[in-house]
Amino acid sequence: MRLAPTASDGTMYLILFIVFAGFCLAGAVNLLLQRHPINSALSLIVVMTSLAVLYLLLGAEFLAAAQVIVYAGAIMVLFTFVVMLLNAGREERTLGSRAAKTLGFPAVVVILALVATVIVKATGLHGAMLSDGITSTVDLSRVLFRELLLPFEVTSVLVLVAILGAVALARSAGGERTAGK
Amino acid sequence: MIPLSWYLLLSAVLFCLGVAGFLIKRNLITVFMSIELMLNAVNLSFVTFAHQWHAVKGQIFVFFVMMVAAAEAAVGLAIIIAVFRVRQTLAVDRIDLMKL
Amino acid sequence: MNGSLDLLLIPVLPFAGFLLNGLLGRGLPKWLVGTIALLAPLASFAVVLRAALAVWGIGSTTPALPYVETCPIPWIDTGTLHIDFSFVLDQLSLVMLLIVTGVGFLIHIYSVGYMGEEEGYWRFFAYLNLFLFFMTVLVLGGNALLMFVGWEGVGLASYLLIGFWLHKKSAADAGYKAFIVNRIGDFGFLIGLFLLLANFGTLTFAEIASKLEANPGWQGGALTAIALCLLVGAAGKSAQLPLYVWLPDAMEGPTPVSALIHAATMVTAGVYMIVRTHFLFDRSPFALAVVAIVGAATALFAATIGLVQTDIKRVLAYSTVSQLGYMFLGCGVAAYSAAIFHLVTHAFFKALLFLSAGSVIHAMGGEQDMRKMGGLRKSLPVTFWCMTAAVLAIGGFFPFAGFFSKDAILYAAFLHGTGGKVLWFVGFVTALLTSFYMFRLWYLTFLGEPRSEAPHHHATPASMWSVCVILALLSIFGGWIGFGDGLGRLGAFLSPVTGIRAAETGAGNLELYLSIAAVAMAALGWWIADRLYRQRPQRPAELAASLVGPYRVLSNKYYVDEFYRATFVKPLMGISTYVLDWMVDKALLGGGVWVLAGIAKFFGAILQRWQSGNLRSYAGWLAAGAAAVLLFILLPWSSLLATWFGIHLNWGGH
């Protein structure tokens, strides 16, 4: 049952946004600052789950669930798994790249500045509120399985191909090793 | 009432953090994680605009992006494992030859 | 199509023979190659004969001369310049064509016998047919450019045929020499063509002649320049001073080649060209004087060299150069019909001389040194009598062919002012020398005791001696066409083309006295040769020993070849090697290429460092690229530039 929006809803919304946006940013920055990859992986999980909450705030229920299940639950687990498998230790100091430092960082700053300017100057953006424009899964599936059925099927084939590829990659290297011996 | 531009700004910042991570990090897996961060940032902006125009297709696009990201992560990690097997290192700067 | 004389067939038929023998001849049996090779000139001769009969009133229609046939395919057709493939038949070209195709056909028959055992049989006949094609194009050409095509083509055929025995270095070198010296002459011809084009705007002979007729006051100046340039070309092709050096060396080729190309037809192309463009030469007395002097000097010069040569073909080669000098002398005193007359008779007896010499060489198994011959009268009777006829003809004895033509030239020279008398005297002395060395050849080769054993005395094939007999008959009786006032029938026939010269229609007595004097000189020459080579055979050696200096100069051909080698050949080779090869080719061009390659490598090396394989570097560049693209898209460049310029202007304004 949908309740009518009240004044406190806006504040609630604001607090929720600030908290979880803060988690996002903190996780992202932590990803950059950590030396050990497992810490970075865990920070990324924090980012992803925060993003799931933000999706909920924007009314995308299904996507929020999918974000948690697929991204945080499968992909990041895979990452963690690989980190543990390869026993990747602390990062070593290696030669850097001058190009990356001299070109890359200014570029990043420029990109950020430009996009931010565009966003700030944009007119006609609505506001967002709680219980505002929630997209139900029914609507989503209606479009997905009718108009976009073909891309959907193709995506499943894509995933299948990816699985096969991963299996082949991981196996053939191992197979050659044993055959070589 | 939050202006949607805040979401977009957040998305932009996350994206740039991802790029910065790509430039800074020395571990191959961590670099890959920065890529995932970039993808997520873009997902956020898609959902924002889907909310703006009440367009379901925006969210469906996010759905597809997630699928592709999943496939990509699987294959990418398999490649990283294969590279590690041969080069015995995950340092990005050490893996600089086309021939393994 | 009754009126058409089918001039186009005259060159095309030999060309077809060339293609057939050239492309397929290697695999065809010898009799087939010979048949194709004989049919082509025969058919060509038949067409010429038909045209000749039509012109003389026999046949259905009498075409008006000059008769022009233009090939419908256009050749050069630009704004101001129009040149077609036009073939012109007039009296002059008809006479030349009869000689070229007629004597050419006879020599083809001779070659079947002479070259019968050669491996490159098919190649020889292909080249001979090619030569006929180009020669007929040269003769029939209605404009100077088409004539030049034939001119170059006969030079090419000459080169191919001189160097026919590919593996003999001397033959290949002689081929080069002929072609290169000819090229020098052709350069003059080309300059003449350009000048013609510049002054007349056209290269068609008929148009040039009519333009000259329309301007009777146009003399000297540019016309002298054109005439002298054309003379250079003629001197190259017809082996006059100073470009005669290739002809003696050209004797390396097979004897039928020497007979056809270097006696009867190709070398006469220069004379033909001068007569064809005589309207130009007539306007420039200076050029005519040069022609006459060159001719007379060459005649004397070559005759002196011929006195002491020991190779039978060399003697004949120098004799050819000398006789060509006579023809040039005839042109130089504006006696064009006489020059053509001598060309015709010379074709007969010189071809016969060469072919008989060929029989001698064939019978002697390839020996060409006259000092080793002798007494061949018994073993080669037919050749002996044919050769005798030819020697009498070239000596200028009445009533053989050479008498009439040589006398006509000398008479015209005598009448040509005081300079003419000097030229007459030179020709007079040359006649003595000519008679002497020809009879010397005759004595050494045929009379006396054999000086060496001939390896095989197999009989001359019928194809060879029959041709010699025909040519001998022509040498004996051929002169009568020019008998009578104004060169008789021949002169009358040629007069529309060459113009009637007062010299040729002179009173009889002076001419009679001069002819008797000339015959007397020829007889004197015979007598001297008889004394030296029959009565006292050891005398020549004694004379040579006592006059060592002059003898050595003469037998080394005045050291002209050595002189040319030192002055022209060596410096050119030096320039080629040091300047063109080292400096230009290796240093400049090679260096230039090296520099370019170096630049490419340099930039490549720089770019190579960019492709380091370093992932982070790539990422940095990627980010920079993305930032650049975004900048480019998002910034309002126009207003930015405007404000920047606006600010600048503001500052400047203060």
Side-chain angles (χ1 to χ4, degrees):
Chain A
M1 185 171 76
R2 211 163 275 195
L3 301 168
T6 60
S8 60
D9 283 340
T11 332
M12 173 78 108
Y13 198 89
L14 182 62
I15 295 172
L16 277 174
F17 176 78
I18 289 177
V19 166
F20 284 100
F23 275 144
C24 264
L25 283 173
V29 172
N30 196 31
L31 176 87
L32 296 187
L33 294 179
Q34 287 296 329
R35 291 263 164 73
H36 206 293
I38 192 64
N39 298 336
S40 304
L42 294 172
S43 311
L44 193 56
I45 294 178
V46 165
V47 171
M48 293 199 176
T49 36
S50 315
L51 276 179
V53 175
L54 288 176
Y55 291 165
L56 267 180
L57 286 178
L58 283 171
E61 302 171 329
F62 176 72
L63 280 185
Q67 173 89 351
V68 172
I69 297 171
V70 172
Y71 252 120
I75 294 178
M76 287 320 297
V77 166
L78 188 58
F79 267 100
T80 316
F81 185 72
V82 170
V83 167
M84 305 250 181
L85 177 69
L86 298 184
N87 220 354
R90 285 179 159 260
E91 285 186 351
E92 315 129 11
R93 284 212 84 75
T94 55
L95 339 134
S97 152
R98 268 209 321 261
K101 292 198 189 77
T102 51
L103 278 178
F105 291 122
V108 170
V109 169
V110 164
I111 293 176
L112 183 57
L114 278 175
V115 177
T117 318
V118 170
I119 293 171
V120 164
K121 286 222 176 118
T123 56
L125 281 176
H126 305 153
M129 274 200 328
L130 268 181
S131 69
D132 176 32
I134 296 175
T135 314
S136 65
T137 314
V138 172
D139 297 327
L140 198 76
S141 58
R142 196 169 283 142
V143 176
L144 183 61
F145 294 125
R146 284 190 196 165
E147 286 172 58
L148 300 177
L149 184 58
L150 180 62
F152 176 72
E153 295 297 334
V154 170
T155 313
S156 32
V157 172
L158 174 73
V159 171
L160 176 67
V161 168
I163 295 171
L164 288 173
V167 167
L169 272 171
R171 187 163 66 138
S172 64
E176 278 170 21
R177 279 286 170 88
T178 47
K181 286 185 194 138
Chain B
M1 188 72 134
I2 306 285
L4 278 180
S5 53
W6 288 17
Y7 282 101
L8 292 176
L9 276 174
L10 175 65
S11 160
V13 170
L14 282 177
F15 184 81
C16 290
L17 283 172
V19 177
F22 192 100
L23 291 171
I24 297 180
K25 298 311 256 179
R26 294 183 212 117
N27 192 314
L28 200 53
I29 303 183
T30 319
V31 165
F32 207 34
M33 283 195 250
S34 317
I35 298 176
E36 293 297 328
L37 180 58
M38 283 194 255
L39 280 169
N40 276 288
V42 170
N43 279 352
L44 179 60
S45 72
F46 267 119
V47 174
T48 311
F49 281 114
H51 185 93
Q52 154 88 354
W53 285 310
H54 300 287
V56 173
K57 287 206 179 139
Q59 298 188 3
I60 293 177
F61 202 87
V62 172
F63 173 76
F64 282 125
V65 170
M66 274 192 217
M67 293 297 105
V68 170
E72 167 214 352
V75 175
L77 287 168
I79 292 176
I80 291 176
I81 293 178
V83 167
F84 181 77
R85 279 210 183 116
V86 176
R87 299 287 291 163
Q88 298 298 324
T89 177
L90 280 175
V92 152
D93 299 324
R94 294 261 168 82
I95 303 169
D96 55 1
L97 293 176
M98 290 280 270
K99 193 167 167 52
L100 282 179
Chain C
M1 281 282 285
N2 260 338
S4 163
L5 293 177
D6 295 318
L7 291 181
L8 210 52
L9 282 181
I10 300 177
V12 164
L13 288 166
F15 189 66
F18 159 69
L19 281 179
L20 280 173
N21 269 334
L23 294 173
L24 307 171
R26 195 191 282 266
L28 294 175
K30 275 200 176 149
W31 63 266
L32 186 55
V33 169
T35 317
I36 297 175
L38 284 181
L39 277 180
L42 180 61
S44 199
F45 181 59
V47 176
V48 172
L49 208 52
R50 184 174 74 123
L53 290 175
V55 165
W56 286 324
I58 309 165
S60 41
T61 49
T62 309
L65 294 180
Y67 174 81
V68 180
E69 243 183 51
T70 311
C71 188
I73 307 169
W75 191 7
I76 299 178
D77 199 10
T78 67
T80 47
L81 187 58
H82 298 272
I83 302 182
D84 284 319
F85 294 115
S86 72
F87 294 115
V88 171
L89 186 74
D90 60 6
Q91 292 88 341
L92 175 63
S93 53
L94 186 58
V95 170
M96 274 299 279
L97 276 177
L98 282 169
I99 296 292
V100 166
T101 50
V103 175
F105 174 60
L106 290 174
I107 294 182
H108 274 72
I109 299 180
Y110 180 92
S111 307
V112 171
Y114 190 81
M115 304 291 286
E117 283 136 39
E118 285 288 331
E119 231 187 87
Y121 192 75
W122 59 275
R123 213 162 33 97
F124 184 78
F125 280 106
Y127 292 156
L128 266 188
N129 279 355
L130 183 67
F131 168 78
L132 264 191
F133 163 65
F134 278 121
M135 190 72 203
T136 46
V137 167
L138 194 158
V139 172
L140 280 171
N143 56 60
L145 195 59
L146 193 54
M147 179 192 261
F148 189 63
V149 169
W151 190 271
E152 290 287 325
V154 295
L156 171 70
S158 166
Y159 161 76
L160 289 170
L161 284 164
I162 294 174
F164 175 70
W165 285 307
L166 309 168
H167 306 289
K168 219 168 133 197
K169 184 167 196 306
S170 53
D173 286 344
Y176 284 155
K177 190 171 177 181
F179 195 74
I180 293 177
V181 176
N182 249 295
R183 268 328 238 157
I184 299 175
D186 294 344
F187 178 65
F189 194 139
L190 265 179
I191 303 286
L193 277 184
F194 295 147
L195 287 173
L196 266 179
L197 210 47
N199 282 303
F200 290 91
T202 173
L203 288 175
T204 313
F205 294 123
E207 288 178 28
I208 298 176
S210 57
K211 277 206 180 137
L212 279 176
E213 262 184 55
N215 294 326
W218 195 1
Q219 298 261 349
L223 294 174
T224 309
I226 296 175
L228 287 177
C229 288
L230 291 179
L231 173 62
V232 171
K237 188 66 77 183
S238 293
Q240 298 295 294
L241 285 172
L243 295 172
Y244 71 94
V245 289
W246 62 273
L247 190 52
D249 281 34
M251 298 297 116
E252 295 280 344
T255 309
V257 170
S258 307
L260 180 60
I261 300 186
H262 305 125
T265 42
M266 185 183 96
V267 292
T268 54
V271 181
Y272 172 74
M273 187 260 275
I274 293 186
V275 177
R276 178 51 94 207
T277 53
H278 76 91
F279 33 80
L280 277 170
F281 283 87
D282 285 337
R283 294 298 180 94
S284 171
F286 177 70
L288 279 180
V290 174
V291 172
I293 293 173
V294 165
T298 308
L300 185 61
F301 184 80
T304 54
I305 301 181
L307 293 176
V308 299
Q309 296 300 312
T310 51
D311 182 334
I312 191 173
K313 281 177 76 175
R314 294 280 154 117
V315 176
L316 294 176
Y318 284 106
S319 156
T320 306
V321 175
S322 181
Q323 296 298 311
L324 286 168
Y326 268 109
M327 293 181 221
F328 269 65
L329 172 59
C331 288
V333 296
Y336 302 110
S337 300
I340 295 293
F341 185 28
H342 196 58
L343 193 158
V344 171
T345 56
H346 176 262
F348 296 147
F349 55 70
K350 192 45 69 63
L352 178 57
L353 279 169
F354 269 107
L355 295 183
S356 310
S359 297
V360 168
I361 296 171
H362 194 231
M364 295 287 290
E367 180 58 64
Q368 290 182 228
D369 192 335
M370 289 192 294
R371 295 171 294 191
K372 302 209 176 76
M373 301 178 189
L376 287 174
R377 176 185 178 182
K378 311 267 177 11
S379 35
L380 300 171
V382 176
T383 309
F384 170 68
W385 286 111
C386 291
M387 192 77 139
T388 311
V391 168
L392 288 172
I394 194 175
F397 290 96
F398 180 87
F400 293 87
F403 165 73
F404 296 103
S405 54
K406 203 184 280 194
D407 265 9
I409 293 180
L410 289 177
Y411 179 57
F414 192 82
L415 291 178
H416 201 72
T418 39
K421 295 196 175 36
V422 173
L423 295 172
W424 172 84
F425 185 69
V426 170
F428 193 59
V429 171
T430 310
L432 167 68
L433 296 176
T434 306
S435 173
F436 171 70
Y437 66 67
M438 286 313 301
F439 277 102
R440 167 177 175 260
L441 184 150
W442 189 66
Y443 280 118
L444 280 177
T445 313
F446 290 103
L447 298 177
E449 294 307 315
R451 280 184 281 276
S452 74
E453 281 305 310
H456 57 111
H457 271 287
H458 71 48
T460 322
S463 54
M464 285 164 66
W465 61 254
S466 56
V467 169
C468 290
V469 167
I470 296 177
L471 284 173
L473 290 172
L474 284 170
S475 302
I476 298 173
F477 299 113
W480 292 99
I481 50 171
F483 177 67
D485 279 345
L487 285 182
R489 278 220 178 109
L490 182 64
F493 185 63
L494 283 177
S495 57
V497 178
T498 59
I500 308 226
R501 302 279 156 228
E504 296 163 30
T505 56
N509 274 342
L510 181 59
E511 200 176 353
L512 189 60
Y513 295 146
L514 289 175
S515 332
I516 294 175
V519 174
M521 288 300 268
L524 179 63
W526 189 354
W527 183 77
I528 301 178
D530 188 71
R531 291 269 303 184
L532 284 180
Y533 291 99
R534 189 174 68 88
Q535 295 180 11
R536 302 217 216 139
Q538 69 282 14
R539 223 24 212 128
E542 291 167 15
L543 275 176
S546 59
L547 297 169
V548 161
Y551 181 75
R552 195 173 294 156
V553 167
L554 282 182
S555 68
N556 280 318
K557 311 160 281 170
Y558 293 100
Y559 297 107
V560 172
D561 278 324
E562 286 77 5
F563 172 70
Y564 280 171
R565 174 182 288 278
T567 1
F568 297 113
V569 176
K570 278 213 150 53
L572 276 176
M573 299 266 296
I575 294 176
S576 286
T577 317
Y578 298 117
V579 175
L580 289 179
D581 189 28
W582 287 12
M583 276 170 40
V584 175
D585 202 35
K586 292 200 168 84
L588 273 177
L589 292 177
V593 170
W594 183 83
V595 164
L596 281 176
I599 291 177
K601 274 204 271 192
F602 174 69
F603 282 113
I606 293 180
L607 286 174
Q608 191 183 31
R609 303 208 357 232
W610 201 30
Q611 302 256 313
S612 54
N614 189 334
L615 187 68
R616 290 205 271 169
S617 155
Y618 292 170
W621 283 99
L622 258 178
V629 169
L630 274 179
L631 267 176
F632 184 70
I633 296 177
L634 292 176
L635 283 185
W637 288 106
S638 43
S639 60
L640 272 184
L641 279 172
T643 42
W644 189 80
F645 275 118
I647 296 173
H648 200 72
L649 282 173
N650 258 336
W651 290 344
H654 288 301

